[in-house]
Amino acid sequence: MTDDQELGITESKEHSTGEWYAEVVRKAGLANYGPEGMSGFIVTRPRGYALWEAIQDELDARFKATGVQNAYFPMLIPESYLEREKDVVEGFDPEVAWVTQGGYEELEERLAVRPTSESIIAPYLSRWIRSYRDLPMRVNQWCSVVRWEATETKPFFRTKEFLWQEGHTAHASEADAWSETTTRLDQYEAVYEDVLAIPVLRGKKPEHDKFPGADTTTTVEALMPDGKSVQGATSHYLGQSFAEAFDITFTDEDEDERVAHTTSWGISWRALGALIMTHSDDQGLVLPPAVAPEQVVIVPIWQDETKTEVLEYAEGIAADLREAGVRVELDDRDERNPGFKFNEWELNGVPVRIEVGPNEVDEGSVTLVHRPDGESAGEDRDGIVDAVEEHLETVYAKLYAAAEENLIGNVREASDRAELLGTIGRHGGYVQAPWCGDEACEAEVKEQIAAEIVLVPFEEGEDPRSSGGDTEPIHEGETCALCDDDAVETAYFAKSY
Amino acid sequence: MTDDQELGITESKEHSTGEWYAEVVRKAGLANYGPEGMSGFIVTRPRGYALWEAIQDELDARFKATGVQNAYFPMLIPESYLEREKDVVEGFDPEVAWVTQGGYEELEERLAVRPTSESIIAPYLSRWIRSYRDLPMRVNQWCSVVRWEATETKPFFRTKEFLWQEGHTAHASEADAWSETTTRLDQYEAVYEDVLAIPVLRGKKPEHDKFPGADTTTTVEALMPDGKSVQGATSHYLGQSFAEAFDITFTDEDEDERVAHTTSWGISWRALGALIMTHSDDQGLVLPPAVAPEQVVIVPIWQDETKTEVLEYAEGIAADLREAGVRVELDDRDERNPGFKFNEWELNGVPVRIEVGPNEVDEGSVTLVHRPDGESAGEDRDGIVDAVEEHLETVYAKLYAAAEENLIGNVREASDRAELLGTIGRHGGYVQAPWCGDEACEAEVKEQIAAEIVLVPFEEGEDPRSSGGDTEPIHEGETCALCDDDAVETAYFAKSY
């Protein structure tokens, strides 16, 4: 244990969110800032990386079950490749890290450290795809990318290098490619909601905020407790622009040559940022059971004369849970008292604590305590496995319910400029407003209150929650909340991470 | 299927090993060369990456079961960090790829794309380690590294960027650190032998060929069928040089400040190169069952009038095997005949083929065929799961036995220069010879026949096979095979990948 961990959380989530977040990340042992001279880079420590591994495992299994294969492409991309899709080079050029020297030699052509890999994957899809029989073709890689943004570092939210996965697929038709796009968005939504206990909104980005070169960028957005939105993951229907630029064609069943439709989709470790920010509190990290490195910690409470029996009892419980596949830690350290241990495991985000002392041994019982609300319950020692599994489900349900309450209570409406700016300014959250589709109207909001359009529904009148129903669509003659033009769609404005 | 795959292997493993290897890699869909202007880089296709994932899974589980945690450190390292350990900068400087521009700006300090990460991990070990209670500390990362070598590209064997894992640990004593070093070497050996069916020699590198800054570099070496050795993985006892350069110290139980002992250890996708090279043949890839993406392929053989019953029978077998956890593929393609399918699955390295036709349906039997030797056997449909599992074990045993025979038959002795050069020249393989310990004597061998010392035994007189016994140690008065000085140890010379 380092000093960092012994101090406890001193900042307040409500009053100093940024400082509190940084403190939780550091003291729960998730990440450190990069070395001097490397602003924008972080070191992901084992407890942080384990969370990323949990997300990887969940998504990778879903991907593989739906026809995706992993592959690996070079991390360096020749500048001339980036330039082959003009939107890509315009979109990423300002934030590329360039390798210009190899050993003692200057390179003839600069090589980009990949900011995203469409430009190097597409030429290979072109080579591998010959006939309709080769389609759909789906490859995915788990890797890191670099984007040289000069903003303040915020671990997992804003870093120059970040870990992600990027999937790249090619299809025979627009319908197939669009279905792929939404399949991946569904999977991201499922992982946010079912695994990370974070409800999301789903929709598409406005035209001017699409992925460079994409036909449509779809997104899942999560609302943080401070009222800001996080772009949780994106799935792009790329249309035929990349296929045309990189010559991804195939022979169809009639022996005709056709251009493929492609997609790409990715989730980054920003998901960890959303996870930490959503559930954690002033005692430290709070984790849903599906990703917690330890789901249960057993803290035995003994005096010298009861130590043997209490420990033996605790070990028996630990063994039963372990055998049932529960990730359990028995904290039998001599040099720490139970109060210290409680605080430390709370800081580390263990969902369920089991306390056992002489009373529990006598009664054949255990005491279970939930993170984050401290609710406790007694359970029989017999049937401990079932009881623990139920409590873990309850903890998940509590976390999801709290996040859902925050989301539902923070989607508001506005019909004019004053209402739009005022509502976001006062409450944060999402504000839905009629919009003319012109970037200039969004620019005004950005400038005044640093909010933007985070999504528009797929279909006008659709609720961006997949569990939601319809909402009131734009009606005939309605005008944009920001100008006098006719409104064409409902935009969701929010401040954003 | 691309044209690549339809052509079959045309080169000969025996007569044109290099071309044959490249052809197998390409036609079995394992990898392609990188794009134009990117010599030294490869694209790892799904069938190749799946093999790497299998190795990762095997090793990662072993690491985690023995106290290792995964983490992630920045891919870029400031030049000044590399310079803090002088041997490291001297060792890697000639082959570093340098990032010098971020976006539109020149960086003040060049950043190395990591060639290895001691220099950026050590400062964090220094920060995280305070007391003996923090030790041992073990972190590992799976990532890619870049070494800008200007040699000919050979997929998996020689590439400028390669995938690997690098483990980094700190310990309170030399004994603990040395034990860590050998634990990891044992795990590499186990994965080579038990998973990849490749027997290895184990030992240490000569002083002049150690990892820069290391006290001792240990290695496992595999002998390829063409008589060359592959350095399969290395595990370094770094002594205290990194701990001193990066201030990795701890307070011991007596409150005294002490310097830690560190290790690092890694295996790269070169293991894939060794895997492909060792077992494959002129029909294509040969894979041991533990890593084969498909362990069994079922090829049904039907006429129009028997198609329904044969397919149903085949599907039942596939379902039984799948349920038992066997990775099985049922090749029911209409547009290909059985002969084409046999060839294709042989090219792809599936260990066991099951053929079923009307005869098998009538008899309630199946025909199993082994890769690589084509041996076939009939088995009852009932009990197919047990039968397949036995056959998979037999295939592993055949592959291991063949590789072991190659190894055992190719360790020879030499006592003077002529014998040493002549034996390697004629037979390849390993030649053990008495050596004075002077690099100059090895340099001569390098120059004349491009062979080098790939290992020396841990203890003089020890057989470098862990299943081996003792061998004859250097005797009093024996001289170096290459000069007149006294021999101090037995060196194993070989040509090397």
Side-chain angles (χ1 to χ4, degrees):
Chain A
M1 299 301 121
T2 68
D3 292 350
D4 279 356
Q5 286 176 309
E6 288 169 28
L7 293 168
I9 302 296
T10 58
E11 299 285 349
S12 152
K13 183 177 189 180
E14 191 182 345
H15 300 295
S16 51
T17 309
E19 293 78 1
W20 163 86
Y21 177 82
E23 195 181 14
V24 170
V25 165
R26 180 167 55 90
K27 291 191 176 169
L30 305 180
N32 288 149
Y33 289 97
E36 216 181 317
M38 291 282 286
S39 95
F41 289 80
I42 63 169
V43 168
T44 307
R45 300 186 65 175
R47 297 191 69 83
Y49 196 80
L51 299 176
W52 181 239
E53 286 183 309
I55 292 174
Q56 282 188 306
D57 288 346
E58 290 280 352
L59 270 171
D60 202 64
R62 285 168 168 81
F63 291 158
K64 285 180 174 155
T66 48
V68 180
Q69 297 183 299
N70 287 334
Y72 187 76
F73 291 78
M75 71 149 80
L76 302 179
I77 305 178
E79 185 165 20
S80 55
Y81 275 67
L82 276 191
E83 287 168 347
R84 282 174 66 176
E85 215 295 335
K86 70 170 173 41
D87 293 317
V88 164
V89 70
E90 283 170 18
F92 288 104
D93 206 39
E95 49 189 51
V96 167
W98 296 102
V99 171
T100 62
Q101 298 165 0
Y104 300 132
E105 287 180 15
E106 292 292 318
L107 302 183
E108 286 181 26
E109 179 179 7
R110 296 194 299 179
L111 303 175
V113 180
R114 64 178 159 235
T116 181
S117 300
E118 281 76 6
S119 304
I120 196 159
I121 292 179
Y124 286 89
L125 295 182
S126 165
R127 172 169 171 178
W128 298 333
I129 293 166
R130 289 279 169 268
S131 112
Y132 69 94
R133 287 204 182 86
D134 299 320
L135 298 176
M137 186 172 283
R138 303 180 179 98
V139 293
N140 175 64
Q141 66 181 0
W142 294 92
C143 62
S144 78
V145 292
V146 170
R147 296 183 188 173
W148 209 265
E149 294 178 282
T151 52
E152 200 183 349
T153 312
K154 198 174 184 76
F156 305 121
F157 281 118
R158 290 245 167 238
T159 50
K160 286 197 180 103
E161 180 187 12
F162 56 86
L163 295 179
W164 79 346
Q165 70 49 230
E166 49 179 323
H168 300 266
T169 70
H171 307 264
S173 70
E174 172 168 352
D176 288 355
W178 181 250
S179 160
E180 176 78 15
T181 307
T182 56
T183 294
R184 302 311 155 199
L185 197 71
D186 292 346
Q187 292 177 329
Y188 294 137
E189 179 181 29
V191 167
Y192 268 98
E193 302 203 335
D194 304 341
V195 177
L196 303 182
I198 302 176
V200 293
L201 300 188
R202 45 188 284 142
K204 53 186 185 180
K205 291 288 174 185
E207 284 296 303
H208 61 268
D209 195 25
K210 294 182 308 189
F211 178 80
D215 180 276
T216 309
T217 286
T218 71
T219 181
V220 290
E221 299 278 329
L223 186 64
M224 298 295 100
D226 63 357
K228 288 190 195 169
S229 184
V230 169
Q231 179 180 301
T234 49
S235 181
H236 315 290
Y237 168 54
L238 299 174
Q240 296 183 300
S241 62
F242 282 87
E244 277 159 6
F246 290 96
D247 198 27
I248 306 176
T249 60
F250 65 98
T251 312
D252 69 11
E253 293 175 50
D254 304 324
E255 297 288 318
D256 289 330
E257 187 82 356
R258 290 171 49 199
V259 176
H261 297 254
T262 67
T263 82
S264 67
W265 27 275
I267 188 171
S268 79
W269 69 16
R270 177 176 282 201
L272 295 185
L275 174 68
I276 300 160
M277 186 67 92
T278 299
H279 303 302
S280 303
D281 62 21
D282 290 353
Q283 277 66 56
L285 192 62
V286 174
L287 293 173
V291 298
E294 305 88 1
Q295 298 172 307
V296 173
V297 60
I298 304 175
V299 179
I301 301 165
W302 67 69
Q303 307 292 333
D304 283 350
E305 65 276 19
T306 55
K307 179 172 177 181
T308 309
E309 58 172 10
V310 168
L311 265 186
E312 195 173 303
Y313 189 72
E315 280 160 6
I317 295 169
D320 285 3
L321 292 174
R322 200 166 288 128
E323 198 186 348
V326 176
R327 296 189 291 274
V328 58
E329 177 80 23
L330 170 59
D331 187 351
D332 58 3
R333 285 177 293 174
D334 259 327
E335 72 271 18
R336 298 299 188 192
N337 65 41
F340 180 94
K341 294 178 182 179
F342 293 175
N343 288 336
E344 186 171 273
W345 292 109
E346 283 184 2
L347 171 63
N348 285 335
V350 180
V352 167
R353 177 173 82 231
I354 293 181
E355 305 173 6
V356 291
N359 286 345
E360 279 82 3
V361 176
D362 289 347
E363 291 171 15
S365 71
V366 302
T367 301
L368 289 99
V369 183
H370 294 178
R371 182 95 174 94
D373 63 1
E375 187 184 348
S376 71
E379 297 282 359
D380 287 344
R381 166 66 179 87
D382 297 339
I384 185 69
V385 169
D386 289 344
V388 161
E389 282 169 357
E390 274 174 38
H391 281 277
L392 290 173
E393 280 177 34
T394 303
V395 167
Y396 163 81
K398 284 180 179 179
L399 296 180
Y400 189 86
E404 191 177 37
E405 193 185 330
N406 179 51
L407 174 58
I408 290 175
N410 284 291
V411 182
R412 299 183 179 81
E413 293 176 19
S415 57
D416 62 34
R417 172 186 289 105
E419 202 180 358
L420 173 55
L421 300 180
T423 303
I424 294 182
R426 265 193 309 283
H427 305 290
Y430 300 106
V431 173
Q432 36 174 152
W435 178 50
C436 62
D438 190 344
E439 187 177 359
C441 285
E442 187 205 36
E444 198 186 320
V445 177
K446 254 189 191 158
E447 196 180 312
Q448 295 206 23
I449 58 166
E452 62 191 285
I453 298 172
V454 296
L455 64 81
V456 296
F458 288 120
E459 302 291 339
E460 184 51 33
E462 194 179 301
D463 190 307
R465 287 210 62 196
S466 57
S467 58
D470 295 338
T471 63
E472 192 66 27
I474 298 290
H475 60 75
E476 188 73 27
E478 198 168 357
T479 59
C480 175
L482 294 148
C483 72
D484 293 334
D485 289 349
D486 284 350
V488 298
E489 55 191 339
T490 301
Y492 283 67
F493 289 84
K495 296 188 179 185
S496 182
Y497 268 90
Chain B
M1 299 300 120
T2 68
D3 292 348
D4 279 358
Q5 286 176 311
E6 288 169 28
L7 293 170
I9 301 297
T10 59
E11 300 284 350
S12 151
K13 184 176 187 179
E14 192 181 345
H15 301 293
S16 52
T17 308
E19 293 76 5
W20 163 87
Y21 176 82
E23 196 182 15
V24 170
V25 165
R26 180 167 57 89
K27 291 192 175 168
L30 305 180
N32 287 149
Y33 289 97
E36 216 182 316
M38 292 282 285
S39 92
F41 289 80
I42 63 170
V43 169
T44 307
R45 299 186 66 174
R47 298 191 69 84
Y49 197 79
L51 298 177
W52 181 239
E53 286 183 310
I55 292 175
Q56 282 189 303
D57 288 348
E58 290 281 352
L59 269 171
D60 202 64
R62 285 168 167 82
F63 291 159
K64 283 178 175 156
T66 47
V68 179
Q69 297 182 298
N70 287 334
Y72 187 75
F73 291 79
M75 72 151 79
L76 302 179
I77 306 177
E79 184 166 19
S80 56
Y81 276 67
L82 277 191
E83 287 168 345
R84 281 174 70 176
E85 215 293 335
K86 71 170 171 43
D87 293 316
V88 164
V89 70
E90 282 170 19
F92 288 104
D93 206 38
E95 50 189 54
V96 167
W98 295 103
V99 170
T100 61
Q101 298 165 1
Y104 300 133
E105 287 180 15
E106 292 291 319
L107 303 183
E108 287 181 25
E109 180 179 6
R110 297 194 299 180
L111 303 175
V113 180
R114 61 178 160 233
T116 180
S117 299
E118 279 77 6
S119 304
I120 195 158
I121 292 179
Y124 286 88
L125 295 182
S126 166
R127 172 169 171 180
W128 298 333
I129 293 166
R130 290 278 168 272
S131 110
Y132 69 94
R133 286 204 183 85
D134 300 320
L135 298 178
M137 185 172 283
R138 302 180 180 100
V139 294
N140 175 62
Q141 66 181 3
W142 294 92
C143 63
S144 77
V145 293
V146 170
R147 297 181 187 174
W148 210 266
E149 293 179 281
T151 52
E152 201 183 350
T153 312
K154 198 174 184 76
F156 307 122
F157 281 118
R158 290 247 167 235
T159 51
K160 287 199 179 101
E161 180 187 10
F162 57 86
L163 295 179
W164 78 344
Q165 71 49 232
E166 48 178 324
H168 299 266
T169 71
H171 306 265
S173 69
E174 173 170 352
D176 288 355
W178 181 250
S179 159
E180 176 79 14
T181 307
T182 56
T183 294
R184 302 310 157 200
L185 197 72
D186 291 346
Q187 292 177 331
Y188 293 136
E189 179 181 28
V191 167
Y192 269 98
E193 302 203 335
D194 304 341
V195 178
L196 303 182
I198 302 176
V200 293
L201 299 189
R202 42 188 288 143
K204 54 187 186 182
K205 291 288 174 186
E207 283 298 302
H208 61 267
D209 195 27
K210 293 183 311 187
F211 178 80
D215 180 276
T216 308
T217 286
T218 70
T219 182
V220 289
E221 299 278 329
L223 186 64
M224 298 296 99
D226 63 356
K228 288 190 194 169
S229 184
V230 169
Q231 179 180 299
T234 48
S235 180
H236 314 290
Y237 167 54
L238 299 174
Q240 295 182 302
S241 63
F242 283 86
E244 277 160 6
F246 291 95
D247 198 27
I248 306 175
T249 60
F250 65 98
T251 311
D252 69 11
E253 293 175 52
D254 303 323
E255 298 288 319
D256 288 330
E257 187 81 355
R258 289 171 48 197
V259 176
H261 297 253
T262 67
T263 81
S264 67
W265 28 275
I267 188 171
S268 79
W269 69 16
R270 176 176 284 204
L272 295 186
L275 174 67
I276 300 160
M277 186 68 91
T278 298
H279 304 301
S280 303
D281 61 23
D282 290 353
Q283 276 65 55
L285 192 63
V286 174
L287 294 173
V291 299
E294 306 89 359
Q295 297 172 309
V296 173
V297 60
I298 303 175
V299 178
I301 302 167
W302 67 69
Q303 307 293 333
D304 283 350
E305 64 277 16
T306 55
K307 180 171 177 181
T308 309
E309 57 171 12
V310 168
L311 265 185
E312 196 174 300
Y313 189 73
E315 279 160 8
I317 295 168
D320 285 2
L321 292 175
R322 200 168 285 129
E323 198 187 349
V326 176
R327 297 190 291 275
V328 58
E329 178 79 23
L330 170 59
D331 188 349
D332 57 2
R333 285 177 293 174
D334 260 326
E335 72 272 18
R336 297 299 186 192
N337 64 42
F340 180 95
K341 294 178 181 177
F342 293 175
N343 288 337
E344 187 172 274
W345 292 109
E346 282 183 5
L347 171 62
N348 285 335
V350 180
V352 167
R353 178 173 82 232
I354 293 181
E355 304 172 5
V356 292
N359 285 345
E360 279 82 3
V361 176
D362 289 347
E363 294 171 14
S365 71
V366 302
T367 301
L368 290 99
V369 182
H370 294 178
R371 181 92 174 94
D373 62 1
E375 187 182 349
S376 72
E379 297 281 357
D380 287 343
R381 165 68 181 86
D382 298 338
I384 185 69
V385 170
D386 289 344
V388 162
E389 284 170 356
E390 273 174 40
H391 281 278
L392 290 173
E393 279 177 35
T394 303
V395 167
Y396 163 81
K398 284 180 181 180
L399 296 180
Y400 189 86
E404 192 178 37
E405 193 186 328
N406 180 50
L407 174 59
I408 290 176
N410 284 292
V411 181
R412 300 183 177 81
E413 293 177 19
S415 57
D416 62 36
R417 173 186 290 105
E419 199 179 3
L420 174 54
L421 300 182
T423 303
I424 294 182
R426 264 192 309 281
H427 305 291
Y430 300 106
V431 173
Q432 39 176 150
W435 178 50
C436 61
D438 190 342
E439 188 178 357
C441 285
E442 186 205 36
E444 198 186 320
V445 177
K446 255 189 190 157
E447 198 180 313
Q448 295 206 23
I449 57 166
E452 61 191 288
I453 298 172
V454 296
L455 64 78
V456 296
F458 288 121
E459 302 290 339
E460 185 49 34
E462 194 179 301
D463 190 309
R465 288 212 59 195
S466 58
S467 58
D470 295 339
T471 62
E472 192 67 26
I474 299 290
H475 58 78
E476 187 75 27
E478 198 167 1
T479 58
C480 175
L482 294 147
C483 73
D484 292 335
D485 289 350
D486 284 348
V488 298
E489 55 192 337
T490 301
Y492 283 67
F493 289 85
K495 294 188 180 186
S496 182
Y497 267 90

